[in-house]
Amino acid sequence: MPDTRPTETLFGTLEERVVPVLVPLPAERPYSYRVPEGMDVEPGTIVQVPLGPRQVAGVVWDAPTDPVDPRKLRSITRRFDCPPLSPATRRFVDWVADYTLSPPGLVARMVLRAPAAFDPEPAAEGLRLTDARPDRPTPARARLIETAAHPGEWTRGGLARAAGVSLSVVDGLVRQGVLEPVWLPSHPVVAPPDTGAARAALNAEQGAVAERLAERIGQGFSVSLLEGVTGSGKTEVYFEAVARALDAGGQVLILLPEIALTQSFIDRFHQRFGAEPAQWHSDVAPRTRERVWRQVAEGRVRVVAGARSALFLPFSNLQLIVVDEEHDPAYKQEDRTFYHARDMAVVRGQIGAAPVVLASATPSLESRVNAEAGRYTRHLLASRFADAVLPRLELVDMRRHPPARGRFVSPVLLTAIEETVARGEQALLFLNRRGYAPLTLCRVCGHRFGCPQCSSWLVEHRLRGTLQCHHCGHAERRPEACPECGTLDHLVPCGPGVERLAEEMVEAFPDARTILLSSDLPGGARRLRQELDAVADGEADIVIGTQLVAKGHHFPLMTLVGAVDADLGLANGDPRAAERTFQLLHQVTGRAGRTGLKSRGLIQTFAPEHPVMQAIQAGEPEAFYRRESLERERAGLPPFGRLAAIIVSADTRREAEEHGRELRRAAPEDDDLEVLGPAEAPLALLRGRHRFRLLVQGPRRAPLQAYLREMTARAPRPRGSVHVQIDIDPQSFL
């Protein structure tokens, strides 16, 4: 007789099957659900489950289920018709959650962020030519039949437009059976790339590096650091690795740090591959994001170019990851789940056995140290493409060449701008400070305009007529009178922002075409792209911009770059301040002379003797990296040591401080790890919440995550308004 007992499976019995489901909520582990009879699920299947009174989407997970009577469990209510999440994607979610000490459900939420894409895209009604012919031929019908005779199916409107006829002609041939209705699959969100469309003519150095990168495809996990001076053609070089991955049938992810960089990159990609990559960032329309998500899961989208969140797309066959401008601090996510996209890209490549390319003209110290230790392979492009020469860099000592009273550009830089514009070339002034002025005060009583929700000053935005906080978004109209003493017309701006710098240039050069580039200009990303295109087309003489102009842009007529306040980034306690200042100045001066024209970079500084300034002027990045590396190693700071920040916030200062002290008392004894604090964070009040910070520091091999888990488990649970956020490998120290 056959065995009628329930058959044991990974998840339970076939009669009463129980599976773990990870829901996109702050859940520490999956919940157990019963599988209805006749429903087939496996790890990675996306399902709908009841959670309290709601129905939510979740993923069948790999974790073991608790021993529980299946009859006491609620059932899965629906299985979505969607490709399951790959084992590599599920392992990546678990790894990120474990490393960042985040609930796995919150990490899974980043994967399941397009719920409308879990169902297949609806098929479209199309038309196909039959063997029948119309009873009365006309020229319009003949054109239509000739057009429809091409291979493939047509939509009703597409066929009419292609043949140059009205929709009534199409409908008439449908009624006569000349055209028959068919169902068409959904259109791809982007056309498939053609790897042979327009290969770049690489020089010997570029070709050798491109071949070494391409050889990595299909050979398992590896990390390549592609380092090259600005204008050396790094993008064209790693495009050859992209082409090799596509020829092998794989998918490619290219991460970019800024939305503003996306369009120029899209244009270069389209020129090389004859089609655009799919885009993934906050400026993409929701419906397009849903289609991208679905077609990535199905393998129909072959290349994605996007922001850091693109790491969590459900790739089915990811064979290459590229992180462009890998040094950029914008890759750090500092909301809910704190992670660094560059580091997580390396992890995703390792889990999925895919090569990773990190590209930058000024790599992060972490990547340089990994290359020196042999963990990464370094590929160097030492010269600019087509023999273009790097700009000649000079320091302008502001103590010897001060600007006129109330002005911020030195006479040396003003003269250089005048000469550049007279030659019909472009000048770029860089100042990493948005708005008109960082502080507004009353000259009568000294009142300063501060944010009511943050411990920061309000920045004046004269173009909008507002005072705004760049941390919480609070904005108010700029008053005519001082709110403290009531005096009219005595409010004065202190310090320069890019708007004030643009005003100074218009006054100094009234006949020049001056353009301002900043991420907070009216019109958003679309206007910014238009302005960048105008600069590239030579429609401006003087360009003023923030750090968004420092990377990835190609301005053919740009021959002068002036850094107006080069010391700005050095004036804080951030251990990465020197490195970031070096990278930013190196990147922004690299915008000049990219087409071979003789070019200059002038750096205004009050500290020309500072090692960063000396390294920039001398063009000796190796000397700077050696010095910075020694200082970090001596202090035990990353990448030679480990660091974690614990931010305790609450509605009152007392609550935040008390819980911070309780966390400190709960810290385990460990000879390797040291806890510093609690102390008020530099930005002590943010969005109305008071903030205290603890830092945990230790050697590279220290069990930091285990230590923090024990510390938080031993401390009292947060009460009232208290919230605790852990940031592994912090990048910001505000």
Side-chain angles (χ1 to χ4, degrees), residues 591-626:
R591 295 312 102 198
R594 295 170 71 91
T595 55
L597 297 174
K598 186 178 179 181
S599 59
R600 298 172 69 190
L602 297 180
I603 301 170
Q604 294 190 165
T605 174
F606 287 92
E609 67 283 352
H610 194 285
V612 171
M613 302 303 167
Q614 290 296 312
I616 287 285
Q617 182 185 31
E620 295 180 353
E622 297 299 328
F624 170 78
Y625 279 114
R626 282 196 302 270

Side-chain angles (χ1 to χ4, degrees), residues 159-347:
L159 181 56
R161 286 191 298 273
V165 301
S166 66
L167 290 174
S168 62
V169 178
V170 177
D171 295 338
L173 292 186
V174 171
R175 287 192 295 270
Q176 294 191 33
V178 178
L179 298 171
E180 64 178 358
V182 292
W183 288 104
L184 305 177
S186 60
H187 289 292
V189 68
V190 289
D194 178 2
T195 58
R199 294 191 62 179
L202 305 180
N203 61 31
E205 181 184 54
Q206 293 172 323
V209 173
E211 182 57 31
R212 289 197 293 271
L213 293 179
E215 287 173 351
R216 300 281 186 174
I217 304 301
Q219 301 302 311
F221 169 69
S222 65
V223 183
S224 299
L225 177 60
L226 177 57
E227 182 179 351
V229 298
T230 54
S232 60
K234 294 182 291 296
T235 304
E236 284 71 21
V237 167
Y238 71 65
F239 274 171
E240 296 309 302
V242 172
R244 186 72 60 90
L246 293 174
D247 286 339
Q251 294 172 298
V252 177
L253 169 61
I254 302 173
L255 294 181
L256 303 168
E258 301 273 1
I259 295 176
L261 291 177
T262 306
Q263 192 55 51
S264 60
F265 175 84
I266 298 300
D267 293 341
R268 295 173 73 176
F269 188 94
H270 188 278
Q271 183 179 5
R272 168 63 179 87
F273 293 99
E276 295 185 354
Q279 299 183 49
W280 183 267
H281 51 75
S282 60
D283 205 35
V284 175
R287 179 58 187 143
T288 302
R289 287 167 66 89
E290 293 160 4
R291 298 186 65 209
V292 170
W293 193 98
R294 177 78 190 197
Q295 294 184 21
V296 166
E298 295 171 342
R300 296 169 63 192
V301 163
R302 304 290 304 284
V303 183
V304 174
R308 54 182 180 252
S309 60
L311 268 175
F312 295 91
L313 285 170
F315 290 97
S316 58
N317 185 22
L318 188 58
Q319 291 198 16
L320 175 65
I321 302 174
V322 178
V323 184
D324 207 347
E325 307 288 358
E326 65 88 30
H327 67 279
D328 199 293
Y331 282 124
K332 178 70 176 186
Q333 165 80 19
E334 293 180 329
D335 181 34
R336 297 190 179 183
T337 299
F338 284 44
Y339 68 91
H340 199 297
R342 177 198 63 224
D343 300 338
M344 296 305 104
V346 172
V347 171

Side-chain angles (χ1 to χ4, degrees), residues 445-501:
C445 70
H447 172 73
R448 301 183 178 194
F449 287 82
C451 176
Q453 300 294 318
C454 305
S455 49
S456 63
W457 306 120
L458 294 178
V459 177
E460 180 181 352
H461 287 258
R462 187 156 293 187
L463 295 177
R464 297 178 178 175
T466 62
L467 301 173
Q468 184 173 337
C469 175
H470 287 173
H471 298 289
C472 71
H474 168 82
E476 57 190 60
R477 299 297 300 176
R478 184 183 187 277
E480 295 295 328
C482 174
E484 190 72 21
C485 67
T487 307
L488 282 168
D489 299 327
H490 276 72
L491 301 180
V492 293
C494 299
V498 287
E499 292 180 15
R500 195 171 190 181
L501 197 59

Side-chain angles (χ1 to χ4, degrees), residues 4-146:
T4 58
R5 292 176 300 175
T7 303
E8 292 293 330
T9 72
L10 173 64
F11 298 109
T13 69
L14 289 176
E15 290 183 357
E16 297 286 354
R17 193 177 180 202
V18 176
V19 296
V21 176
L22 189 61
V23 295
L25 297 169
E28 295 292 342
R29 59 193 305 271
Y31 298 141
S32 296
Y33 286 89
R34 189 170 66 245
V35 181
E37 184 178 353
M39 181 181 289
D40 182 28
V41 299
E42 60 179 322
T45 300
I46 299 178
V47 295
Q48 181 178 281
V49 295
L51 189 67
R54 298 182 297 155
Q55 294 285 332
V56 300
V59 186
V60 178
W61 216 245
D62 307 86
T65 56
D66 293 327
V68 63
D69 185 348
R71 291 169 296 182
K72 297 181 179 180
L73 297 176
R74 304 174 78 177
S75 295
I76 296 173
T77 53
R78 183 183 178 193
R79 180 190 189 279
F80 287 102
D81 185 6
C82 181
L85 299 185
S86 68
T89 300
R90 303 195 304 274
R91 285 181 57 202
F92 181 61
V93 168
D94 284 335
W95 198 99
V96 172
D98 183 69
Y99 186 83
T100 63
L101 302 182
S102 300
L106 274 187
V107 182
R109 182 178 182 176
M110 294 190 286
V111 178
L112 304 177
R113 59 192 314 153
F118 300 159
D119 289 312
E121 297 180 62
E125 187 173 353
L127 297 171
R128 181 174 56 197
L129 187 67
T130 68
D131 293 333
R133 288 298 175 263
D135 53 7
R136 186 172 57 84
T138 66
R141 288 178 170 180
R143 288 200 309 274
L144 187 63
I145 292 172
E146 182 182 358

